Structure formats: C-alpha cells, structure tokens
C-alpha cells in the first residue's frame, strides 16, 4: 500500500513538473542553459563537428619501471601506472596482465598481485577453481585504467582517508565485503 501511495505522489510531482516546464513563455525558454553550457566538453551534444578532443599523454614507462599511484579511496581499483601498448585488448582467452599480476608470479616480478576478490566466485560463494581469475573479473580495464598526464577539468578537494596506511596501495576488500551484512542478517533472523 505504501509503495502505491509513493508511486502516486511521484507521478503527481512529475506531472506538475512537466506542466510547469511546458507552459513556459518563449522568453523564459531562452533563459534556460544550453547543452554547451552544462557540460565539460563545451560543444553541442547533437553535433560533434566543433568538438576538439584534448591530446592526452599516457605514461610510457614499461611495466616494472613505473611508480604506483595512491588509490583514489580505500579499496578503489588502482590506476594502471605503466604503458599498456601491446597488452590490449583483453579477452577471456588472452589477458597479458595476468602474466605478471597473478599472486604466484607478482612477488617475483615486483608487480601488485591480483587481490583475493578477483580469485573468488561471488555468484556461487566459493573460491574459483585452480585459483584462476573469476569469469566476472577477467577484463582488467573494466575497472583499471591507464593514468594520463592530464590536469583535472574541475577543482577537486577530495582527500581519501585510509583506515590503514597499507591500503593506499593494497586492497582488503575480501575482509570487509560483508561488514554490516552479517549483523543485518542476524537482526532479520531475530524478527522472523
């Protein structure tokens, strides 16, 4: 019953909003912001002829000779600090990243090892067979991106707070993935 009432209220508000914005006089419509004023690209969304892409320079240091970046926040996917030329595209059958980043190899080559969360099948709640990378996580560039030498387009004052200094360069996701969930499950069991 509560959901129906909320949907009815949302529909009413949406209708009033639409009515208000469709009944504007021509002079009022001109005062609205154009699509070239609201984004960072400063070009019309419908026409890309005037769009000028910035030329970004990505780090060209080869793997093993680059400096790692601090994570953007605790357990954030780390940026790729080295050149990826020849390593992409990544497919299920061809993943050059794993040659250095699998845990059994990473320490010998000085690479950051794939974290335990990548070797775990969350769909079936079990480790992956043969300690292989999960089918859901084989595409590294889905979350990890090369870092460009580029100035931010907007000022950002965000400063990450790490609960542990080691987490600036490592993940403890598997240790904290169910924090709060266990307590919630216990509470739900008590109320049933």
């Amino acid at each position: 019953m509560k959901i129906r009432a909320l949907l009815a209220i949302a529909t009413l508000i949406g209708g009033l909003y639409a009515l208000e914005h469709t009944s504007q006089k021509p002079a009022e419509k001109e005062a609205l912001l154009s699509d070239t004023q609201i984004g960072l690209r400063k070009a019309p969304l419908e026409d890309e002829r005037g769009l000028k892409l910035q030329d970004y320079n990505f780090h060209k240091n080869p793997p093993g000779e680059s400096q790692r970046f601090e994570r953007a926040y605790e357990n954030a996917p780390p940026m790729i600090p080295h050149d990826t030329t020849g390593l992409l595209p990544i497919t299920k059958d061809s993943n050059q990243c794993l040659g250095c980043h699998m845990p059994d190899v990473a320490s010998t080559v000085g690479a950051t090892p794939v974290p335990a969360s990548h070797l775990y099948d969350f769909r079936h709640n079990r480790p992956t067979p043969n300690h292989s990378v999960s089918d859901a996580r084989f595409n590294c560039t889905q979350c990890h991106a090369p870092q460009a030498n580029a100035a931010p387009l907007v000022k950002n004052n965000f400063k990450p707070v790490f609960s542990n200094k080691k987490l600036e360069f490592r993940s403890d996701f598997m240790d904290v993935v169910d924090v709060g969930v266990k307590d919630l499950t216990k509470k739900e069991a008590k109320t049933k």
Side-chain angles (χ1 to χ4, degrees):
M1 188 65 181
K2 289 181 184 179
I3 294 174
R4 286 185 189 168
L6 289 173
L7 287 174
I9 291 169
T11 303
L12 177 64
I13 291 171
L16 291 173
Y17 178 84
L19 181 64
E20 177 184 332
H21 289 283
T22 55
S23 62
Q24 290 176 329
K25 298 174 187 162
E28 290 174 327
K29 284 186 179 182
E30 291 175 18
L32 297 175
L33 293 174
S34 74
D35 61 349
T36 60
Q37 296 172 299
I38 59 174
L40 298 174
R41 64 189 248 156
K42 307 298 181 210
L45 296 175
E46 319 77 41
D47 180 9
E48 294 194 347
R49 284 180 279 178
L51 179 65
K52 291 182 178 77
L53 297 176
Q54 291 186 6
D55 186 22
Y56 294 112
N57 295 312
F58 290 89
H59 291 279
K60 293 296 180 191
N61 293 338
E65 294 182 20
S66 53
Q67 184 176 358
R68 293 181 300 172
F69 300 104
E70 179 184 282
R71 291 176 187 240
Y73 52 89
E74 193 164 305
N75 287 314
M79 302 299 293
I80 300 171
H82 58 74
D83 187 18
T84 58
T85 303
L87 303 177
L88 306 174
I90 295 170
T91 67
K92 181 123 174 57
D93 299 319
S94 176
N95 186 333
Q96 305 258 346
C97 304
L98 299 180
C100 293
H101 292 281
M102 284 302 284
D104 57 342
V105 177
S107 61
T108 61
V109 296
T112 301
V114 170
S117 60
H118 290 42
L119 308 175
Y120 195 83
D121 182 352
F122 286 99
R123 292 179 184 132
H124 300 102
N125 197 26
R126 64 179 182 219
T128 56
N130 304 320
H131 298 290
S132 59
V133 171
S134 167
D135 291 344
R137 296 190 179 237
F138 77 89
N139 185 1
C140 306
T141 55
Q142 176 176 307
C143 299
H144 307 279
Q147 180 65 53
N149 294 317
L153 294 174
V154 293
K155 186 177 179 181
N156 183 355
N157 295 325
F158 176 78
K159 298 283 186 235
V161 176
F162 296 95
S163 62
N164 180 330
K165 184 90 171 132
K166 291 179 182 177
L167 296 176
E168 292 176 5
F169 298 103
R170 297 278 182 231
S171 171
D172 72 343
F173 180 74
M174 285 300 288
D175 298 332
V176 298
V177 68
D178 60 357
V179 168
V181 176
K182 289 179 181 177
D183 295 335
L184 181 61
T185 306
K186 288 176 187 175
K187 287 178 186 176
E188 288 175 353
K190 287 180 182 178
T191 60
K192 288 184 181 179

